[in-house]
């Protein structure tokens, strides 16, 4: 299901991008920003589009912004050879990003608002993003990417309808997607692709249902036999896998909400540690009369 879901979200993003680039058509940005105004001039995005942080209060020590800018450029160029001539064309030279807050801790309710302006004239012409936090700036870069398209006649990247003024903030602080690796194991690269697709749609919570009755695919160093409850030896996640997924998502403005069902839905727990079950014929919920049960739960929580 994950690859199909990813293709669906990608298709929605690409359709929105293409529609936003059609002169005379409607504004189809995904999701639709709170406020949009536009003009009528076409600009052409420089091959070496530059990132400026003049006026920002954010130091980008984790390279969240710089990495997001590089990803955005890759999206708008779509792996095309940008080899056309810019001679005589109005060129958008770069994007200036001004983030007010130095804080880049991703937490529930963080300010994700932004203002994106793309002027029609200037020397040089720079788009400008203003955001309270870097996570608002990430959304603005995604919106900017949807304004762009590849001009197959000129061989360069174009941007219709300048000047643009877009002001946006999420309608809902929790915009989530759930994956269930307890019932359907997903390899790490697939989970990474799901996170990428969430970014295109500005979703911000990956609800990761890791463990349930059917399987226990997460390795816990303090209780290694728990993962004996996985579907197979190869269908497991190490702690480093989980850390990588969480950190990868965080740099893209996505919180990972991990779910480990307890004390019910515990059939997979006792495969490695049968004493966690009340009996061999009663395999759930966990045996809450057994001190070992609470030691295992504590080990799982401290393992993260």
């Amino acid at each position: 299901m994950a690859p199909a879901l990813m293709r669906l979200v990608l298709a929605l993003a690409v359709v929105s991008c293409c529609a936003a680039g059609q002169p005379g058509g409607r504004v189809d940005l995904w999701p639709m920003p709170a406020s949009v105004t536009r003009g009528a001039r076409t600009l052409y995005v420089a091959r070496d589009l530059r990132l400026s942080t003049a006026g920002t209060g954010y130091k980008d020590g984790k390279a969240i912004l710089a990495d997001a800018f590089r990803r955005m450029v890759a999206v708008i160029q779509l792996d095309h050879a940008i080899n056309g001539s810019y001679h005589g064309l109005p060129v958008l030279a770069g994007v200036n990003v001004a983030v007010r807050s130095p804080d880049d801790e991703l937490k529930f309710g963080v300010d994700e608002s932004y203002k994106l302006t793309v002027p029609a004239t200037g020397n040089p012409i720079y788009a400008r993003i203003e955001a309270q936090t870097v996570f608002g700036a990430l959304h603005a870069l995604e919106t900017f990417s949807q304004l762009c398209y590849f001009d197959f006649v000129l061989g360069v990247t174009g941007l219709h309808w300048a000047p643009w003024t877009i002001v946006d903030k999420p309608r809902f602080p929790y915009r989530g997607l759930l994956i269930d690796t307890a019932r359907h194991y997903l390899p790490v690269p697939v989970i990474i692709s799901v996170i990428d697709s969430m970014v295109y749609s500005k979703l911000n919570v990956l609800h990761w249902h890791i463990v349930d009755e059917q399987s226990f695919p997460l390795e816990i160093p303090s209780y290694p036999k728990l993962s004996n409850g996985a579907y197979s030896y190869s269908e497991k996640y190490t702690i480093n896998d989980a850390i990588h997924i969480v950190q990868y998502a965080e740099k893209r403005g996505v919180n990972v909400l991990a779910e480990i069902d307890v004390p019910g839905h515990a059939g997979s727990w006792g495969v490695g540690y049968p004493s966690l079950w009340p009996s061999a014929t009663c395999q759930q919920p966990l045996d809450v009369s057994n001190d070992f049960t609470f030691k295992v739960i504590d080990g799982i929580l401290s393992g993260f």
Side-chain angles (χ1 to χ4, degrees), residues 188 192 208 218-221 236-248 303-304:
V188 173
I192 293 300
W208 185 9
L218 181 64
E219 290 189 344
I220 304 297
K236 300 179 184 180
Y237 306 103
T238 67
I239 287 295
N240 286 333
D241 289 336
I243 291 172
H244 169 60
I245 289 167
V246 169
Q247 291 178 343
Y248 184 93
F304 283 96

Side-chain angles (χ1 to χ4, degrees), residues 18-207:
C18 293
Q22 294 299 319
R26 64 185 185 183
V27 178
D28 279 338
L29 296 171
W30 179 264
M32 188 65 180
S35 172
V36 179
T37 63
R38 61 178 181 174
R41 192 182 193 203
T42 297
L43 302 178
Y44 295 91
V45 181
R47 181 184 299 107
D48 57 345
L49 188 70
R50 295 187 290 274
L51 169 65
S52 165
T53 55
T56 191
Y58 175 64
K59 301 302 182 184
D60 201 25
K62 300 177 184 176
I64 294 174
L65 181 59
D67 289 348
F69 184 79
R70 282 191 289 269
R71 293 194 302 270
M72 182 271 292
V73 171
V75 167
I76 66 175
Q77 292 183 349
L78 294 172
D79 290 329
H80 289 297
I82 312 297
N83 54 11
S85 172
Y86 287 87
H87 181 70
L89 300 177
V91 176
L92 181 68
V95 181
N96 172 246
V97 181
V99 176
R100 288 182 284 274
S101 173
D103 185 14
D104 57 11
E105 180 184 357
L106 182 61
K107 50 186 178 291
F108 181 72
V110 69
D111 191 322
E112 298 175 84
S113 63
Y114 66 88
K115 180 180 180 181
L116 167 63
T117 55
V118 183
T121 59
N123 187 23
I125 304 174
Y126 265 73
R128 179 170 173 81
I129 291 170
E130 300 172 61
Q132 180 62 31
T133 70
V134 67
F135 303 109
L138 298 188
H139 295 323
L141 289 172
E142 172 57 35
T143 298
F144 177 84
S145 74
Q146 294 183 24
L147 302 179
C148 303
Y149 70 100
F150 183 72
D151 188 316
F152 285 91
V153 175
L154 296 177
V156 297
T157 302
L159 185 152
H160 285 310
W161 303 340
W164 287 90
T165 300
I166 298 173
V167 179
D168 196 18
K169 64 179 181 180
R171 289 180 60 196
F172 307 102
Y174 186 109
R175 306 178 307 283
L177 179 72
L178 183 145
I179 57 174
D180 186 348
T181 60
R183 296 181 176 91
H184 185 94
Y185 178 82
L186 300 175
V188 173
V190 172
I191 297 177
I192 293 300
S193 296
V194 169
I195 294 169
D196 289 338
S197 69
M198 293 175 65
V199 172
Y200 298 139
S201 296
K202 300 187 178 76
L203 301 180
N204 69 339
V205 179
L206 176 64
H207 183 155

